Amino acid sequence: MTTNDESGPDDAALATTAPQAEVVAHRQGMFGAHDAGDTSGYGGLVRTVALPPPSVRPFGGSFDAVADALEAALAADGTELGDAVGSVVVDRDEMTLHVHRERLLEVVRALRDEPDLRFELLSGVSGVHYPQESGRELHAVYHLLSITNNRRLRLEVTCPDADPHIPSIVEVYPTADWHERETWDFFGIQFDGHPALTRIEMPDDWPGHPQRKDYPLGGIPVEYKGATIAPPDTRRSYS
């Protein structure tokens, strides 16, 4: 039996310093519902909901070029990258910038206008609701495309349930107009500065935001049709 006498960090030390995935929930069943019967057949399924950890430079590939160009563009306006971007995640060959909401407009302008970035197209804005994430329950996710450089980039911005406000980016990307309206409609995120933040799919007088995790799956009155939606465990019989 031989031993390795070379000095250096052991595997245990490396494991404690490496970024760890953030576990946000343990979900039971197919859809994670707890207030109604399970009709999926997967009631015994338990899954861990985890977010990938922050990445550290070098990110690899073209991701370093994006980070460097954004850092230089923000510095030209007197803003440090760390003041605008809380963390960078490179996972599954995709790059996500977690942007502080108060600096969102600065970041998207730099991403659009900086010649080395040129993310000309916003292809979508979507919402996510993590009720367990105290203080940042609501997430807005932006998908950008650089046609010039053939690159894609994701931005993620969070806000708390108690203060669900994020700046609108319609003035930078006009295509965000209807996407922000849909995210407001379904999740309740208020995009400050939007030219007309009204519901886009649900009726104007609809109560609540139906894609939030705390929205009931059924058994609520549908007043504009004069009908009701039965709870999921009473909709059909499998006997």
Side-chain angles (χ1 to χ4, degrees), residues 101-105 108-109 125 140 142 157-160 162-173 176-177 179-181 183-184 188-198:
R101 58 177 172 173
E102 62 272 12
R103 299 301 182 99
L104 176 60
L105 284 171
V108 294
R109 284 196 187 97
V125 182
Y142 306 79
V157 183
T158 66
C159 62
D163 182 28
H165 292 268
I166 292 176
S168 170
I169 63 170
V170 170
E171 63 182 81
V172 181
Y173 292 108
D177 188 342
H179 294 283
E180 289 182 351
R181 285 180 60 193
T183 305
W184 145 251
I189 298 176
Q190 300 181 33
F191 293 94
D192 297 333
H194 189 283
L197 192 63
T198 57

Side-chain angles (χ1 to χ4, degrees), residues 155-239:
L155 308 181
E156 191 163 341
V157 183
T158 66
C159 62
D161 262 340
D163 182 28
H165 292 268
I166 292 176
S168 170
I169 63 170
V170 170
E171 63 182 81
V172 181
Y173 292 108
T175 54
D177 188 342
W178 284 17
H179 294 283
E180 289 182 351
R181 285 180 60 193
E182 183 179 56
T183 305
W184 145 251
D185 195 357
F186 286 154
F187 292 92
I189 298 176
Q190 300 181 33
F191 293 94
D192 297 333
H194 189 283
L197 192 63
T198 57
R199 291 194 184 272
I200 193 170
E201 296 195 45
M202 306 304 292
D204 289 339
D205 59 350
W206 189 267
H209 304 280
Q211 284 192 353
R212 290 172 55 96
K213 296 294 197 316
D214 54 8
Y215 196 81
L217 291 177
I220 59 173
V222 185
E223 296 179 359
Y224 71 102
K225 289 184 177 179
T228 59
I229 301 175
D233 57 338
T234 64
R235 292 178 194 168
R236 64 182 68 177
S237 173
Y238 294 96
S239 60

Side-chain angles (χ1 to χ4, degrees), residues 55-76 79-90 94-99 107 110-111 114 116-119 149 151-155:
S55 303
V56 295
R57 292 186 181 183
F59 303 129
S62 64
F63 301 134
D64 291 291
V66 171
D68 292 342
L70 178 59
E71 185 173 29
L74 293 174
T79 300
E80 295 289 336
L81 181 65
D83 293 335
V85 178
S87 64
V88 178
V89 174
V90 176
E94 296 178 343
M95 186 178 200
T96 303
L97 305 182
H98 291 262
V99 180
V107 171
L111 290 171
E114 171 61 34
D116 292 333
L117 294 169
R118 296 298 295 160
F119 285 93
N149 297 313
R151 293 172 177 164
R152 294 183 182 272
L153 180 66
R154 182 186 299 108
L155 308 181

